[in-house]
């Protein structure tokens, strides 16, 4: 029996399942933090518990299934499905970066006085942030994982690398908020990012389907090269922005306006 060419592309749908699960868990966690209000010890205790929980669970899942770093190098169907089903699509393995964003948002909204007072403090933070990003990328190429022997360092990397990257990005946002962003703050202040931000969620939802559609329609194998992958990246990005923009204009914005009108009408009636 001829195997369907769409079967191997099913993991491309996993980001949608992840988005649905995150849509449930992130508002719940954010509500818990908001209920705690300004109780700093409680916020620290809850944040520490949640970080440790996701780190431990992710490390145990990675060790148990012997999951490789990033996309599997062993591209057999079972290995690929296991990676996406048991790790990539699970919210308890992926909510660390969301937790970083929630805590950073709460901290910056409640903080009344500047934290960074000297350029030395800001420089030290920038160095730590850039070094963390460099290590996340570098270790992905240096750590080795095999099906026969699974290194504890690989499990540790799987557990913390997304959160470390999010924390480094969080520092960039925080430094810009504190007035120590420099060139990065000027770059991120461009008006074009406002447009990108408005269509970002639609792009997040549609891009896996576009990739899945492209891969499923291929009649022959693709020769891998850096140039080919870069060309595909640009093509996927362009199509994602076009479709995301259309969905935002035709669906998201009208529904937001309808919701705003309903809320205003209810306010008038009350």
């Amino acid at each position: 029996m001829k195997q369907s060419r769409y079967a191997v592309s099913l993991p491309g749908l996993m980001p949608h399942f992840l988005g649905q699960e995150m849509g449930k868990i992130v508002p719940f966690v954010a509500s818990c933090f908001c209920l705690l209000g300004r109780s700093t010890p409680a916020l620290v205790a809850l944040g520490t518990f949640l970080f440790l929980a996701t780190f431990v669970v992710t490390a145990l899942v990675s060790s148990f299934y012997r999951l490789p770093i990033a996309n599997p190098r062993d591209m057999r169907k079972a290995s690929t499905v296991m990676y996406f089903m048991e790790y990539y699509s699970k919210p308890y393995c992926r909510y660390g970066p969301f937790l970083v964003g929630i805590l950073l948002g709460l901290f910056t909204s409640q903080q009344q006085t500047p934290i960074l007072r000297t350029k030395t403090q800001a420089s030290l933070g920038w160095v730590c942030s850039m070094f963390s990003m460099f290590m996340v990328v570098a270790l992905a190429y240096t750590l080795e994982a095999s099906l026969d022997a699974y290194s504890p360092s690989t499990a540790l990397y799987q557990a913390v690398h997304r959160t470390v990257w999010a924390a480094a990005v969080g520092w960039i946002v925080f430094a810009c908020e504190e007035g120590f962003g420099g060139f990065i703050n000027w770059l991120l202040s461009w008006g074009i990012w406002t447009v990108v931000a408005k269509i970002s969620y639609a792009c997040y939802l549609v891009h896996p389907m576009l990739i899945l559609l492209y891969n499923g329609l291929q009649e022959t194998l693709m020769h891998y090269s850096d140039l080919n992958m870069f060309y595909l990246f640009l093509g996927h990005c362009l199509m994602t922005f076009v479709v995301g923009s259309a969905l935002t204009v035709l669906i998201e914005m009208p529904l937001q306006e309808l919701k705003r009108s309903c809320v205003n009408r209810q306010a008038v009636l009350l």
Side-chain angles (χ1 to χ4, degrees):
M1 181 181 295
K2 184 178 179 180
Q3 184 182 13
S4 171
R5 65 172 181 261
Y6 294 96
V8 295
S9 298
L10 288 178
L13 291 176
M14 290 303 107
H16 285 276
F17 302 145
L18 174 65
Q20 294 175 3
E21 295 299 324
M22 282 299 182
K24 300 174 183 177
I25 193 172
V26 171
F28 174 75
V29 174
S31 300
C32 292
F33 281 110
C34 291
L35 289 175
L36 293 176
R38 296 181 178 275
S39 177
T40 303
L43 289 174
V44 172
L46 179 60
T48 302
F49 171 77
L50 292 176
F51 276 125
L52 290 177
T54 186
F55 292 159
V56 172
V57 171
T58 304
L60 291 177
V61 169
S62 300
S63 298
F64 182 79
Y65 292 106
R66 297 180 179 275
L67 299 178
I69 294 174
N71 202 37
R73 286 167 290 181
D74 178 10
M75 290 306 294
R76 293 174 300 179
K77 181 179 178 181
S79 177
T80 304
V81 171
M82 192 66 65
Y83 177 85
F84 283 97
M85 292 297 294
E86 300 300 334
Y87 171 74
Y88 188 83
S89 63
K90 299 302 182 182
Y92 47 76
C93 293
R94 298 287 300 275
Y95 77 83
F98 292 87
L99 188 58
V100 171
I102 292 172
L103 291 175
L104 178 62
L106 286 173
F107 178 78
T108 54
S109 64
Q110 295 179 2
Q111 190 64 34
Q112 301 297 330
T113 58
I115 300 298
L116 300 178
R117 301 183 181 277
T118 64
K119 291 185 178 181
T120 301
Q121 295 174 334
S123 300
L124 181 62
W126 276 104
V127 170
C128 293
S129 176
M130 295 298 102
F131 179 76
S132 299
M133 288 183 167
F134 171 78
M135 291 302 297
V136 168
V137 176
L139 289 176
Y141 290 92
T142 57
L143 289 177
E144 295 292 337
S146 66
L147 298 177
D148 299 325
Y150 198 80
S151 171
S153 59
T154 302
L156 179 62
Y157 178 87
Q158 291 277 48
V160 304
H161 76 281
R162 298 181 188 276
T163 304
V164 171
W165 183 271
V169 174
W171 162 261
I172 296 176
V173 176
F174 178 71
C176 292
E177 180 70 17
E178 292 283 299
F180 290 92
F183 169 77
I184 302 298
N185 183 52
W186 172 78
L187 180 64
L188 295 179
S189 299
W190 287 359
I192 187 63
W193 302 120
T194 304
V195 178
V196 176
K198 291 181 178 180
I199 66 173
S200 60
Y201 186 66
C203 292
Y204 168 75
L205 293 179
V206 302
H207 84 273
M209 289 188 291
L210 294 176
I211 297 174
L212 176 66
L213 179 64
Y214 174 83
N215 291 338
L217 292 176
Q218 298 308 301
E219 298 289 346
T220 60
L221 296 177
M222 183 189 71
H223 176 69
Y224 176 86
S225 69
D226 292 337
L227 180 60
N228 283 344
M229 295 306 296
F230 182 67
Y231 191 83
L232 280 179
F233 167 76
L234 294 179
H236 287 321
C237 284
L238 178 60
M239 290 301 302
T240 297
F241 283 132
V242 171
V243 177
S245 300
L247 290 177
T248 301
V249 173
L250 298 178
I251 298 178
E252 184 178 356
M253 294 178 66
L255 289 177
Q256 288 179 345
E257 187 63 29
L258 179 62
K259 177 183 177 181
R260 189 178 300 109
S261 299
C262 293
V263 171
N264 294 336
R265 180 174 300 179
Q266 290 178 354
V268 171
L269 293 177
L270 294 177

